[in-house]
């Protein structure tokens, strides 16, 4: 097993090159016209190999760099802001929602340059400041901040970590194949060694799977944009697979505040999309609303054990050709600059603030109960084969990330800047600001500001420099969440956020 992992790890770049059909130095081609702000959709000049449609930039993104380059099969997601002197994005890069590159001004502070190597990804809420270089096959975790730093190849910057170099001419250097521990505070080169560990061997296999997921996301969004912009060949003949139908969304609908998930996202046998990518030859573009009642964490079709659910057979052309639309009971309460995408169900009275992204792209399993309020620049997402469920009358602050596997019961309050990834939170609990809860734990009591909470066996993930040493908490496992974590890991799948494999497998037995 070790040999297989090592061989797979060493060949990740080769696999990436193969997936791109050898397009290792592809440059961005023409921008598809659409009259929307930002850069809409872009295709690399080389589109050989299985990735038929390549890079995509969400219409809500703001690219304000003087010098911008982007490789093949890369994705810049919603509400990403790039405002530096230059940004060089490699091949198969995924910048997830609410990621920011902020430009310094002034000669002594640098000019805000960003370089991202092939096969890298950022999770929700990442901030890059000043002069930043991220190597190949790297990941940057949720709400992390990287300033004036050089991150070595195959490294992962943990959730809520901060690497804060002061001088762009002498950036902080993180060695290759390093895991920067959760909540780390690194202010100088001397702080690096005590706050990193070698990346555990299973991560290489896991990150390769993230690469695959992100390749398909880039292709899927590009394909959806082209269809919504009517830039691909269509048929007017009723019943023809290339007839999009009268209810197929236009650009404003497909990428508006109530958006649709692309038809070719890899759903790995959930019954919504089979384990393959849709092509122009089988695009039926039929509507497919999230399952009713709200589905279990795994949502298979009847042929895969999902008795009574309305998903098409997992190996059918219909499954591969449908896109998913959200169900929102009070659309007037969704800010015009927020996005609810794909497989989401929001009950009446749910408020979603500006810049927030509720992202049901990998399965229709995001749900929010009646009267819940979600603040600004927050994100809801989930790993494949898991769910992200929020109860009624909850209050969720600004810049919060709620990530499935996750179950939040009614009347829960969550402070600004908090990240919940994996727990069950019981009714009426109050969670403070800037809290990190990671893993399949049961939260039954209030949690103070700046606390870091992990599951038993995962204490090693917390950096010694993390704030609030008195608030490093280990909570008992949640049996409900253990099953979801186990299902996601056994399937070898992820949403692209790059942290699913961090939970110790030993805790799932």
């Amino acid at each position: 097993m070790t040999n297989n992992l090592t061989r797979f790890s060493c060949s990740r770049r080769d696999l990436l090159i193969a997936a791109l059909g050898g397009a290792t130095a592809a440059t961005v081609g023409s921008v598809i016209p659409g009259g929307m702000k930002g850069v809409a959709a872009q295709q690399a000049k080389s589109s050989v190999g299985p990735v038929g449609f390549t890079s995509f930039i969400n219409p809500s993104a703001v690219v304000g760099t003087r010098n911008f380059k982007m490789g093949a099969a890369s994705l810049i997601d919603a509400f990403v802001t790039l405002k530096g002197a230059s940004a060089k994005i490699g091949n198969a890069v995924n910048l997830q929602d609410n990621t920011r590159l902020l430009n310094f001004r002034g000669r002594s502070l640098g000019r805000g340059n960003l370089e991202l190597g092939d096969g890298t990804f950022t999770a929700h809420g990442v901030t890059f400041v000043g002069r930043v270089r991220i190597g190949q096959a790297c990941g940057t975790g949720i709400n992390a901040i990287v300033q004036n730093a050089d991150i070595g190849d195959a490294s992962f910057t943990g959730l809520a970590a901060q690497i804060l170099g002061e001088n762009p001419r002498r950036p902080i250097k993180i060695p290759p194949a390093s895991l920067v521990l959760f909540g780390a505070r690194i202010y100088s080169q001397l702080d690096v060694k005590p706050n990193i560990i070698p990346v555990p061997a299973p991560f290489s296999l896991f990150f390769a799977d993230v690469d695959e997921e992100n390749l398909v996301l880039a292709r899927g969004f590009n394909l959806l944009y082209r269809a919504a912009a009517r830039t691909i060949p269509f048929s007017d003949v009723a019943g023809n697979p290339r007839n999009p139908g009268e209810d197929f969304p236009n650009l404003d609908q497909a990428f508006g505040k109530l958006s649709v998930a692309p038809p070719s996202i890899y759903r790995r046998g959930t019954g919504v999309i089979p384990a393959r990518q849709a092509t122009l030859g089988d695009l039926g573009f039929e509507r497919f609303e999230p399952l009713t009642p709200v589905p279990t964490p795994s949502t298979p079709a009847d042929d895969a054990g999902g008795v009574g659910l309305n998903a098409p057979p997992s190996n059918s052309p219909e499954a591969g050709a449908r896109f998913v639309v959200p169900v929102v009971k009070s659309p007037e309460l969704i800010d015009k600059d927020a996005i609810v995408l794909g497989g989401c169900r929001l009950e009446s009275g749910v408020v979603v603030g500006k810049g927030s992204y509720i992202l049901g792209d990998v399965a229709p399993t995001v749900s929010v109960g009646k009267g819940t309020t979600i603040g600004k620049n927050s994100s809801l997402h989930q790993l494949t084969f898991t769910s992200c469920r929020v109860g009624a009358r909850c209050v969720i602050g600004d810049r919060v990330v709620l990530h499935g596997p996750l179950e939040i019961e009614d009347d829960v309050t969550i402070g600004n800047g908090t990240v919940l990834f994996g727990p069950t939170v019981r009714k009426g609990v109050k969670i403070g600001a800037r809290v990190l809860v990671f893993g399949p734990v049961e939260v039954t009591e209030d949690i103070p500001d700046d606390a870091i909470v992990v599951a038993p066996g995962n204490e090693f993930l917390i950096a010694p420099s993390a704030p609030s040493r008195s608030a490093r908490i280990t909570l008992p496992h949640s049996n409900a969440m253990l099953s979801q974590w186990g299902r996601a890991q056994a399937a070898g799948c992820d949403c692209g956020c790059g942290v699913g494999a961090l939970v110790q497998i030993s805790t799932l037995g």
Side-chain angles (χ1 to χ4, degrees), residues 278-303:
T279 66
L280 288 179
D282 63 11
L283 287 180
F285 288 124
E286 298 180 52
R287 299 177 69 87
F288 179 69
E289 296 187 356
L291 304 180
T292 303
V294 175
T296 57
S298 179
T299 58
D302 287 344
D303 64 341

Side-chain angles (χ1 to χ4, degrees), residues 33 63 112 135 169 348 389 462:
V63 180
R169 295 179 180 85
S348 59
R389 302 169 189 263
I462 303 176

Side-chain angles (χ1 to χ4, degrees), residues 9 12 116-122 128 133-141 146 150-158 163 172-181 192 195-200 203-204 206-207 211 497-499 502:
S9 173
R12 280 192 63 206
L116 300 178
D118 295 346
T120 69
F121 60 88
T122 72
F128 295 120
R133 178 193 171 274
I134 308 291
Q136 297 183 31
C138 288
T140 308
V146 180
D150 189 333
I151 311 297
D153 294 349
S155 293
F156 183 79
T157 302
I163 305 172
I172 292 176
K173 295 184 180 295
I174 304 297
S178 296
L179 170 62
V180 179
L181 296 171
V192 172
N195 286 285
I196 65 173
I197 62 173
V199 172
F203 285 23
S204 294
F206 172 76
F207 285 173
D211 287 342
C497 299
V499 292
L502 293 174

Side-chain angles (χ1 to χ4, degrees), residues 217 221 224 253-254 256-263 265 267 270-273 286-299 310 322-329 339-347 357-369 380-390 402 404 406:
L217 282 168
F221 277 107
L224 177 62
Q253 294 169 325
K257 70 177 186 178
L258 303 182
S259 300
V260 299
I265 284 182
R267 313 257 171 182
T270 62
V272 182
I273 299 290
E286 298 180 52
R287 299 177 69 87
F288 179 69
E289 296 187 356
L291 304 180
T292 303
V294 175
T296 57
S298 179
T299 58
N310 61 328
R322 299 189 179 198
F323 60 86
V324 184
V325 300
V327 174
V328 178
K329 298 295 184 64
I339 294 177
V340 181
L341 180 139
C344 303
R345 185 179 186 90
L346 276 58
E347 301 299 338
Y357 197 25
I358 303 181
L359 183 57
D361 60 350
V362 294
T365 52
V366 177
S367 61
V368 182
L380 278 69
H381 202 195
Q382 81 293 330
L383 298 177
T384 313
F385 289 117
T386 74
S387 59
C388 178
R389 302 169 189 263
V390 180
L402 305 181
L406 180 67

Side-chain angles (χ1 to χ4, degrees), residues 420 423-426 429 431 435-448 451-459 462 472-478 507:
L420 304 184
T424 297
V425 182
R426 295 305 180 190
V429 167
I431 297 177
V435 169
L436 170 60
V437 182
F438 179 78
V441 299
E442 187 100 6
V443 182
T444 59
E445 303 290 339
D446 294 352
I447 297 178
I452 297 181
V453 182
V454 295
N458 289 273
E459 298 89 340
I462 303 176
R472 295 163 185 247
I473 304 169
T474 300
L475 292 181
H477 287 122
S478 162
T507 68

